Amino acid sequence: MIFQKKISLLAMAIALVSIAPSFAAEAPPADSKKATSEAPKAWMNKKLTPEQRTDLVLKEMTMDEKLKLVFGYFGTDAPWKNFKRPVESITQSAGFVYGIPRLGIPNLWLADAGIGVASQGGPNVREATALPSGINTAATWDLKTAYAGGAMIGSEARAFGFNVLLAGGVNLLREPRNGRTFEYAGEDPLLAGKIVGAQIGGIQSNKIVSTLKHYAFNDQETNRGTLNVKIDDAPARMADLLALQVAYEDGNPGSVMCAYNRVNGFYACESNYLLNEVLKKDWGFKGWVMSDWGATHSTIPAANSGLDQQSGIPFDQSEYFGAALKEAVQNGWVSQARFDDMVRRVLQPMFEFGVMDNPVSANPETINFKANGLVSQKDAEEGMVLLKNDNKLLPLSKAAKKIAVIGSRADIGVLSGGGSSQVYPVGGAAFKGGPQFFPGPMLYYPSSPLKAIQARVPQAKVTYNDGVDAVAAAKLAADSDMVLVFVNQWTAESVDVPNLSLPDNQDALVAAVAKANAKTVVVMQTGGPVFMPWLADVGAAVEAWYPGTNGGEAIARVLFGEVNPSGHLPATFPASEAQLPRPVLDGYPEVKDARITVNYTEGATVGYKWFDLKGHKPLFPFGHGLSYSEFAFSGLKADVKNGLINASFTVKNTGSVAGKEVAQVYVAPVSAVWEAPKRLGGWQKVDLKAGASTKASVTIDPRLVGMYDSATKTWKIAEGDYKVILAADATDAKATSVTVHLNAATLDVKGKFVK
Ligand code: BGC
């Protein structure tokens, strides 16, 4: 026995000696930690799925490392909170989340980017290309333009070193006085969802993540942090949530931002209904939910209700997803599985959308601002809406000898909207005014309409008047062949407008000018719908929204007919506030922290649907937009295949110049009962030379012919006849229609036919 043991020990020794050299060759160097971080990481294998890669890296993470990913900081100093931004964050940025270098997980650098790479106000602002406002992009009704804008701002974001963008705002326009109307995409769930989905897709094509926000019902800024929206499940799913659902389906965003407000009694960021049930379970969202800045209110309810990441430390009352979350996981109030799910949801989009494999590195000098300005300009030109054009006053005649340009600082630039989405223009603002602090400053971009106009009529005398003194402006108007009066309405995050009238006596200015000269064209830069008490007295009116970086050039090109306007209103312009579901804005003027309730008794009857139902005649209907050409629709046919309505028709340019028309297809039930007489079912924007015609067709998303049923979580299509209407806007007197018959059908919660 003893002998045997000796032999075997000897054999082992020999064996060890014989294998020693190969061990030695692979032995870790003295600095073994370094070697670990440089060893190939299994989760960096691109052949694996994002899910597999996430699982692999998640297994390696300690609890403290996991906690890092669910905890976001503000990327800007906040001295009033005694807060200094993490040194690794990007100056004047919205957010920052620490990565885990040991595992190759990069930091997350977050920028606001509704219309371009935004900058928080302060000393070191970033200068970037600004798209026109979101409502302008919606007014293009053109998904390619929306995608191109997203792709452009995403490319600038990457060059500035950002890998997560807080873009993708799609709060449905229920309240035209909302200070953030300019950031969103209007009142129709399909149009808004499609436009924002395309923009998100464009952003993410840069291998970065974009965000869908503000989920949900943050439709007014007054008391946004405390107000409670009351709405039932079915109308919510058919309106505001449908817009978000369509944007989610089309854009596939990596993250979703929950909103400030409460919904049916629960904060949006701790609403089990919104986050767990609708977003994650019903729609199948796999990414992460981040809170709006200051919108987290708890640890355990928030984590268990579906919030994955607290954002914007120090805006909340407490660091809910810091030590408190660790304790909650350790004592079981938040399960380990849910905690891992939170982290997994942050990681998976990083793999899926390219953040892990294509690290960002800041090199802003590579940005081609000139080319990007043209992308923005195209969006502005495509979204500008010709509201009125009597006697073909526009396009402007180059024969005019004396042209008056009045108001709105049109001599130096174009207006932009305020708040966190504020983009600072390259080369500095043309004018800085408004509030010194958030949501200010009010910025004008240095793209002068006056200069762009003058450049096109060098022989004419173009005179500018600031419009402050209406009498002086009228005098100039009387002495001119042609008058271009610019009016504006500055709107901004965190404050609603008191009413839909233009501020600063601008209505009186236009009235005085129009009285002095009938050849008056009004160019409007507004956040959204406004009243126009002078409309009957002016020759033409153009809604230019906030037209972005090259706005002055875009306006001049439309006014002179270098571009034929083709924007159409993505929102109804009411004739009075009495026509709105809520004639008085709830809670206005704001009493700080008041816990008001806003009751959406109109349900899904939003915008034109409300106007149709009530028989109100708006100032301008949804979908309205003129052109320098004319178009005729003909040959409308509709059929039903596999339960889907398909409409086909011909559009002809009957005018004398090339132009684009938005052919809108609405559906109206003959016997079924909907929330409104009709809904937009689809559209096509066609580009036609003078005299040319084209065939077009639209297939209607079946959800748009159904009613959502909460009890069964399905969309029910009622058997019966439905009118398919082809129109140029929501109240088009020349609309034609055909009738189709639909069999009863059921769609699942995602809108797919249930067999
Ligand atoms: C806004 C968000 C924005 C965030 C970060 C909030 O005040 O509501 O839209 O993304 O700030 O700047």
Side-chain angles (χ1 to χ4, degrees):
M1 277 284 285
I2 290 174
F3 177 72
Q4 242 188 0
K5 199 174 179 183
K6 264 188 185 159
I7 291 183
S8 60
L9 277 176
L10 183 68
M12 270 172 70
I14 293 167
L16 272 179
V17 169
S18 63
I19 57 171
S22 67
F23 264 129
E26 284 175 28
D31 185 357
S32 61
K33 264 195 191 149
K34 188 159 175 267
T36 317
S37 75
E38 280 167 6
K41 299 176 180 73
W43 53 91
M44 291 312 288
N45 178 355
K46 292 186 199 164
K47 290 196 184 119
L48 302 176
T49 65
E51 289 84 351
Q52 290 169 324
R53 297 174 71 181
T54 301
D55 283 345
L56 283 170
V57 72
L58 195 59
K59 270 193 226 137
E60 298 294 320
M61 293 172 72
T62 65
M63 177 163 220
D64 286 339
E65 286 172 341
K66 290 176 184 174
L67 278 164
K68 283 186 179 185
L69 291 190
V70 298
F71 194 73
Y73 296 87
F74 191 33
T76 300
D77 292 345
W80 69 96
K81 292 257 184 186
N82 220 358
F83 171 81
K84 280 230 161 280
R85 69 180 174 94
V87 287
E88 300 86 347
S89 67
I90 300 178
T91 178
Q92 311 304 132
S93 69
F96 178 78
V97 177
Y98 279 105
I100 324 288
R102 175 181 85 85
L103 302 173
I105 300 171
N107 299 330
L108 296 179
W109 289 277
L110 288 69
D112 276 302
I115 58 157
V117 184
S119 195
Q120 294 286 326
N124 302 305
V125 294
R126 191 174 12 269
E127 297 184 348
T129 306
L131 291 171
S133 51
I135 196 166
N136 176 100
T137 303
T140 69
W141 296 60
D142 187 46
L143 305 187
K144 280 199 191 118
T145 301
Y147 184 93
M152 183 276 283
I153 62 180
S155 74
E156 288 198 2
R158 175 166 271 283
F160 282 118
F162 292 106
N163 50 14
V164 178
L165 291 195
L166 312 174
V170 65
N171 292 74
L172 208 62
L173 198 164
R174 282 182 183 265
E175 175 46 73
R177 291 157 294 202
N178 178 6
R180 301 187 87 171
T181 297
F182 77 94
E183 290 187 49
Y184 305 138
E187 69 190 26
D188 181 74
L190 179 71
L191 176 64
K194 289 267 165 201
I195 289 284
V196 173
Q199 191 184 25
I200 291 170
I203 291 173
Q204 293 195 157
S205 70
N206 292 281
K207 304 197 189 318
I208 57 177
V209 162
S210 189
T211 307
L212 182 66
K213 69 187 190 183
H214 306 86
Y215 188 77
F217 308 103
N218 184 175
D219 308 325
Q220 68 176 57
E221 292 299 273
T222 303
N223 289 124
R224 67 177 176 174
T226 45
L227 75 79
N228 181 29
V229 167
K230 278 180 82 175
I231 185 165
D232 288 340
D233 174 57
R237 302 235 194 195
M238 288 162 50
D240 315 64
L241 293 180
L242 183 57
L244 286 146
Q245 188 177 11
V246 170
Y248 157 69
E249 289 162 354
D250 283 21
N252 195 16
S255 65
V256 170
M257 184 190 292
C258 51
Y260 282 121
N261 49 288
R262 291 176 291 151
V263 180
N264 296 328
F266 294 93
Y267 277 109
C269 291
E270 52 189 62
S271 163
N272 183 61
Y273 162 71
L274 279 180
L275 306 181
N276 282 339
E277 189 182 330
V278 177
L279 179 67
K280 294 181 177 177
K281 186 160 153 266
D282 296 344
W283 298 355
F285 175 64
K286 295 277 185 294
W288 83 94
V289 177
M290 66 167 82
S291 62
D292 200 341
W293 276 224
T296 306
H297 296 276
S298 65
T299 301
I300 299 164
N304 288 338
S305 301
L307 179 65
D308 301 306
Q309 186 183 64
Q310 179 181 9
S311 309
I313 297 294
F315 285 105
D316 291 316
Q317 290 292 320
S318 184
E319 298 187 353
Y320 297 109
F321 280 18
L325 179 61
K326 184 174 184 177
E327 191 186 318
V329 176
Q330 282 166 339
N331 64 25
W333 288 105
V334 173
S335 69
Q336 184 67 43
R338 168 61 189 134
F339 180 51
D340 285 348
D341 174 54
M342 293 161 74
V343 181
R344 179 180 287 111
R345 285 174 169 279
V346 179
L347 288 167
Q348 194 166 304
M350 293 172 73
F351 285 111
E352 184 175 343
F353 298 109
V355 170
M356 292 287 286
D357 297 331
N358 307 273
V360 285
S361 65
N363 47 3
E365 64 289 346
T366 61
I367 300 174
N368 184 341
F369 287 115
K370 200 157 177 240
N372 292 352
L374 292 175
V375 174
S376 168
Q377 186 179 320
K378 161 87 175 28
D379 191 340
E381 290 169 359
E382 194 86 25
M384 231 170 263
V385 182
L386 180 62
L387 294 170
K388 171 177 180 174
N389 193 19
D390 281 358
N391 307 318
K392 300 205 171 172
L393 189 54
L394 291 175
L396 290 177
S397 151
K398 292 205 173 171
K401 294 208 170 54
K402 286 191 277 180
I403 301 178
V405 175
I406 297 169
S408 202
R409 301 182 197 280
D411 54 334
I412 51 167
V414 290
L415 186 59
S416 61
S420 60
S421 68
Q422 182 74 61
V423 173
Y424 285 74
V426 177
F431 178 81
K432 203 170 165 179
Q436 194 186 344
F437 298 108
F438 191 90
M442 172 183 72
L443 294 186
Y444 278 74
Y445 295 155
S447 176
S448 153
L450 178 72
K451 283 191 189 141
I453 290 162
Q454 178 77 80
R456 285 166 170 82
V457 278
Q459 78 294 344
K461 185 166 175 248
V462 183
T463 310
Y464 178 72
N465 173 286
D466 67 9
V468 175
D469 176 356
V471 177
K475 197 159 172 284
L476 172 67
D479 190 34
S480 304
D481 303 330
M482 180 87 207
V483 185
L484 303 171
V485 55
F486 285 71
V487 292
N488 70 48
Q489 173 209 42
W490 184 65
T491 59
E493 179 182 340
S494 81
V495 277
D496 294 323
V497 291
N499 52 55
L500 296 180
S501 295
L502 290 171
D504 307 326
N505 295 321
Q506 293 177 98
D507 285 333
L509 171 70
V510 180
V513 164
K515 204 168 167 207
N517 190 330
K519 287 190 174 175
T520 290
V521 176
V522 185
V523 181
M524 305 165 57
Q525 294 171 75
T526 68
V530 288
F531 299 144
M532 300 168 217
W534 32 257
L535 189 66
D537 303 321
V538 302
V542 176
E543 175 57 87
W545 314 107
Y546 301 143
T549 286
N550 286 14
E553 191 68 13
I555 288 171
R557 274 164 58 79
V558 166
L559 292 179
F560 282 97
E562 290 162 33
V563 168
N564 191 349
S566 66
H568 286 249
L569 296 179
T572 307
F573 276 43
S576 76
E577 274 156 293
Q579 293 180 326
L580 299 172
R582 274 170 296 287
V584 176
L585 177 65
D586 284 298
Y588 194 89
E590 185 177 85
V591 174
K592 198 171 175 295
D593 297 335
R595 295 185 167 250
I596 62 168
T597 294
V598 183
N599 204 340
Y600 287 174
T601 48
E602 75 278 23
T605 319
V606 179
Y608 63 90
K609 294 169 184 160
W610 173 262
F611 278 70
D612 271 1
L613 185 71
K614 297 288 168 184
H616 293 324
K617 191 174 178 313
L619 178 62
F620 287 111
F622 173 83
H624 172 72
L626 304 175
S627 159
Y628 298 148
S629 199
E630 286 94 45
F631 299 90
F633 301 144
S634 62
L636 173 65
K637 285 198 195 99
D639 55 20
V640 179
K641 262 194 213 116
N642 302 324
L644 293 177
I645 300 176
N646 182 272
S648 60
F649 47 89
T650 299
V651 186
K652 181 169 180 168
N653 181 343
T654 56
S656 54
V657 286
K660 295 179 185 171
E661 174 64 316
V662 175
Q664 299 156 40
V665 176
Y666 295 86
V667 204
V670 173
S671 52
V673 180
W674 286 359
E675 77 287 1
K678 68 172 183 292
R679 301 174 183 156
L680 179 72
W683 71 92
Q684 265 224 17
K685 190 166 190 176
V686 295
D687 188 0
L688 291 169
K689 296 221 159 64
S693 60
T694 187
K695 279 203 183 321
S697 74
V698 167
T699 300
I700 297 170
D701 184 319
R703 283 172 290 195
L704 295 170
V705 291
M707 291 289 284
Y708 187 78
D709 177 50
S710 297
T712 54
K713 283 201 173 195
T714 58
W715 300 78
K716 299 259 186 240
I717 299 174
E719 193 259 327
D721 286 346
Y722 292 80
K723 274 195 191 174
V724 178
I725 304 162
L726 177 61
D729 64 51
T731 63
D732 186 1
K734 287 196 259 166
T736 55
S737 70
V738 291
T739 302
V740 293
H741 187 84
L742 291 178
N743 295 327
T746 302
L747 315 169
D748 68 13
V749 74
K750 294 192 172 79
K752 304 278 170 282
F753 282 98
V754 178
K755 294 270 167 348

